[in-house]
Amino acid sequence: MQIKALPYPDPGVPDARSGPRFLWWLFRNQLDGQFKALAWGLLHFLSVSALPFCVGVAVQAVVDRSGERLALAGGLLVLCCAGNAIGETFLHRTAVTNWITAAARVQQVLARKAAQLGSALTRRVAAGEVVSVSTGDVEKIGWFVEAWSRFTAAAVTIVVVCVALVVYQPALGAIVAVGLPVLALAVLPLLPRATRRADLQREKAGRATELASDTVAGLRVLRGIGGEELFLDRYRRASQEVRHAAVRSARMWSLISAIQVLLPGLLLIAVVWYGVHLARQGRVNVGELVTVYSSIMILTYPLRHFEEIAMAYSFSRPSARRAARVLALERATDTGGSRDGSEMPSGDLYDPATGLLAPTGRFTAVVCGDPDAAGRLADRLGGHPSEEGTSVLLGGVPLDELPLDNARTAVLVQDKDPVLLSGTLRELLDVPRSGDVGAVEALAAAQCADVLAALVQGSLGAGDPMDARITERGRSLSGGQRQRLALARSLITDPEVLVLDEPTSAVDSHTEARIAQGVRDLRAGRTTVVFTSSPLLLDRADRVVLVHEGEVAAVGVHRELVHAEPRYRAVVTRETEEEADPTTGPRESSTREDGPREGSRLNDVLKELEEIEESA
């Protein structure tokens, strides 16, 4: 496994049934790197563990005044030191490679899942949790995958050394062979509690991250209502909870570390005491005693990896569980891609569930009294339904039968709250496009002249507006400016079908009228569907559709529907039920001087339309 191979052409299909299964899937997908790390780890640990035997031979050679054995011991020491240096160097290199490749694989499958789910992801999982999984959790998962091979090499080394000591000096070797497994397993009773504390810490840290992410995302609104101090206090409390949980977790791990220092020390005292007793009886020589003593000292090094693997698993298990939970999410309908990927359908867009028809090449406006229902219908038209149902048809072809990339190329849906990524305006508009619409035309249709001026003014040294910087999520811009930039990004894409959900809800009426005309002119000959209740947009539409309680209730043009359809008029003019119902008492008792409320409100709307048309 090489870092230069990243990103993977295909990261694979993860096993997201549980956290441990996901970790096992990661391990299986880099067996080559794991075996390399195991081989270098064995060379490193065995070279280190062989040093006591070399020292013992050298000490006994000095006692026996044997120059040949002393030279042999020196040569063995050189070989062990060389093996130690080479093994540790390449073990570290391979282990880091395993860590990075595992983390990169997790990030790739997470990014692929996010691209597959689209806007539905943040509706089903908090944005803060997605951020937490793709940053901190990825590191924890990579740590465990990387540490496993080093732990395996350490465990094999301990077994080999115990067997060698039993063969080399049975009396002392038996004590070491019995004592070392006890040392390795002594901390097992403490691991469940340490794991629970680590899980609690990660859970609280995840909640704090979510709270911070959501607070930053809504900071402009919070400042507007004076609520930033309230949320700051909430984050402060959440942060303190994370700190307390981290301290409690650290106490448990420090106890485990203390035990792993104390018990080897007790074993060493026992071996030295018994070894001195055997040396007085002449059953062991000085070299053998030094070898066993040094071996115990050296073996505390591989024993530390038992603590590390336990800690790595404790921290990575909740991270893997969170990652698996995100990766287990599926689209409400599977885009199987049963049709040829080169096939790109065109024609009318039709939703069998509601009866909504958007004729090809026409500007269709959709009025829906429930904004949430409008958002769900917009997602359905783009092939991203939130629940199972009959697929939307484009030119008679079900979108579910198209590959996901083709479906998204054919039908582009802009959410009512689109996201602007940080970077330059040129990078923002660097999206897949047909090439028929340029940046200048798209920005002009979206009425972005004042937005460009604001971006240039806020970017030092940016003479060209396309090089002006956009802050994260466009926080330096107003809501209407962000909406217009997002609209320009959608227009420059120039898809076969463009679906816009409330694209002008945050702009003033005069700008809205110019946007309506600009979009109509730029999208001439293309299918455009706009979900809106704005009379300014509705008046520019070729066809207006009223969707009421999940079904098409009326079809026509705006000025006809506003007179003939009470339900349509109630949504567009914001009438109350009493105002819309001609049989209610207040309507009948209205004076002649005041006039009927319905007619007055309707006349106001029509008058406003005429004034804006004249000014535009």
Side-chain angles (χ1 to χ4, degrees), residues 25-180:
W25 173 80
L26 282 174
F27 181 83
R28 287 189 291 108
N29 276 274
Q30 56 179 61
L31 286 177
D32 181 52
Q34 294 292 338
F35 282 126
K36 286 182 180 178
L38 176 61
W40 292 118
L42 286 174
L43 176 61
H44 169 56
F45 288 123
L46 290 175
S47 297
V48 172
S49 301
L51 290 174
F53 291 92
C54 300
V55 172
V57 172
V59 169
Q60 191 60 41
V62 171
V63 172
D64 297 339
R65 299 181 180 277
S66 173
E68 293 182 358
R69 279 189 294 165
L70 185 61
L72 175 63
L76 292 176
L77 280 172
V78 171
L79 290 177
C80 289
C81 291
N84 178 25
I86 296 173
E88 184 174 16
T89 299
F90 285 94
L91 171 62
H92 178 74
R93 177 189 178 93
T94 310
V96 171
T97 300
N98 288 340
W99 189 337
I100 294 176
T101 52
R105 189 183 297 274
V106 176
Q107 287 181 326
Q108 276 192 256
V109 295
L110 285 171
R112 184 175 64 182
K113 178 60 66 174
Q116 180 187 17
L117 294 175
S119 60
L121 175 61
T122 51
R123 297 194 189 108
R124 301 165 68 178
V125 180
E129 182 172 355
V130 178
V131 173
S132 178
V133 170
S134 60
T135 53
D137 287 336
V138 165
E139 294 184 4
K140 299 295 187 299
I141 293 171
W143 177 26
F144 173 74
V145 174
E146 171 266 330
W148 180 258
S149 55
R150 288 190 286 112
F151 161 72
T152 305
V156 172
T157 298
I158 290 174
V159 173
V160 171
V161 171
C162 288
V163 172
L165 286 176
V166 170
V167 174
Y168 180 73
Q169 175 45 249
L172 295 176
I175 298 177
V176 177
V178 173
L180 283 178

Side-chain angles (χ1 to χ4, degrees), residues 9 16 45 97 102 116 166 212 243 260 356 363 365 441 548 553 562 615:
F45 288 123
T97 300
Q116 180 187 17
V166 170
R243 184 179 67 84
Q260 290 208 321
L356 174 62
F363 186 163
E441 293 87 347
H548 182 68
V562 80
S615 64

Side-chain angles (χ1 to χ4, degrees), residues 170-480:
L172 295 176
I175 298 177
V176 177
V178 173
L180 283 178
V182 173
L183 296 182
L185 301 177
V187 297
L188 285 181
L190 299 176
L191 289 180
R193 180 176 297 181
T195 301
R196 287 194 298 270
R197 292 189 178 184
D199 290 351
L200 180 62
Q201 177 195 351
R202 294 298 301 166
E203 180 181 350
K204 290 183 177 295
R207 286 203 296 266
T209 302
E210 293 174 21
L211 179 60
S213 176
D214 295 341
T215 301
V216 172
L219 191 57
R220 181 186 293 269
V221 177
L222 292 176
R223 284 176 175 171
I225 62 176
E228 65 267 29
E229 288 298 329
L230 174 62
F231 276 80
L232 181 60
D233 289 339
R234 290 183 181 178
Y235 180 74
R236 201 176 279 123
R237 289 194 298 270
S239 178
Q240 290 302 312
E241 290 180 3
V242 174
R243 184 179 67 84
H244 291 311
V247 170
R248 295 183 71 247
S249 178
R251 285 174 180 169
M252 184 56 63
W253 288 111
S254 63
L255 176 60
I256 292 175
S257 299
I259 290 175
Q260 290 208 321
V261 172
L262 174 64
L263 294 183
L266 296 177
L267 176 62
L268 187 61
I269 292 173
V271 168
V272 170
W273 177 82
Y274 186 59
V276 170
H277 176 70
L278 294 179
R280 288 178 177 176
Q281 296 179 352
R283 296 171 57 184
V284 298
N285 55 40
V286 176
E288 292 173 339
L289 181 59
V290 170
T291 298
V292 176
Y293 171 82
S294 302
S295 296
I296 297 174
M297 292 290 295
I298 291 294
L299 285 179
T300 57
Y301 170 55
L303 276 174
R304 301 290 298 179
H305 289 77
F306 284 76
E307 176 192 352
E308 182 191 13
I309 195 63
M311 183 180 294
Y313 180 72
S314 298
F315 278 88
S316 66
R317 190 182 66 172
S319 297
R321 185 169 60 244
R322 277 191 294 270
R325 184 166 61 247
V326 174
L327 294 172
L329 298 176
E330 296 293 342
R331 290 168 52 86
T333 57
D334 181 24
T335 307
S338 57
R339 291 181 177 265
D340 184 7
S342 61
E343 179 181 357
M344 189 64 68
S346 61
D348 297 343
L349 184 68
Y350 177 66
D351 178 25
T354 60
L356 174 62
L357 173 66
T360 181
R362 305 287 295 280
F363 186 163
T364 302
V366 181
V367 175
C368 187
D370 183 359
D372 293 333
R376 292 192 295 269
L377 180 54
D379 287 340
R380 277 184 54 78
L381 294 181
H384 318 299
S386 58
E387 54 189 21
E388 294 184 1
T390 307
S391 174
V392 171
L393 306 178
L394 178 60
V397 177
L399 288 182
D400 288 352
E401 295 182 6
L402 295 176
L404 186 58
D405 291 344
N406 287 24
R408 288 179 170 173
T409 300
V411 183
L412 173 64
V413 179
Q414 177 180 301
D415 293 336
K416 65 180 64 178
D417 187 21
V419 175
L420 303 181
L421 300 180
S422 59
T424 64
L425 180 58
R426 193 185 309 279
E427 292 170 342
L428 176 71
L429 299 180
D430 185 16
V431 293
R433 64 182 76 180
S434 66
D436 296 334
V437 178
V440 175
E441 293 87 347
L443 291 168
Q447 301 298 311
C448 292
D450 63 315
V451 184
L452 299 181
L455 288 175
V456 171
Q457 185 178 3
S459 299
L460 296 177
D464 187 351
M466 298 298 291
D467 295 327
R469 299 291 302 179
I470 299 174
T471 57
E472 182 186 1
R473 289 181 173 264
R475 301 188 196 281
S476 61
L477 303 173
S478 67

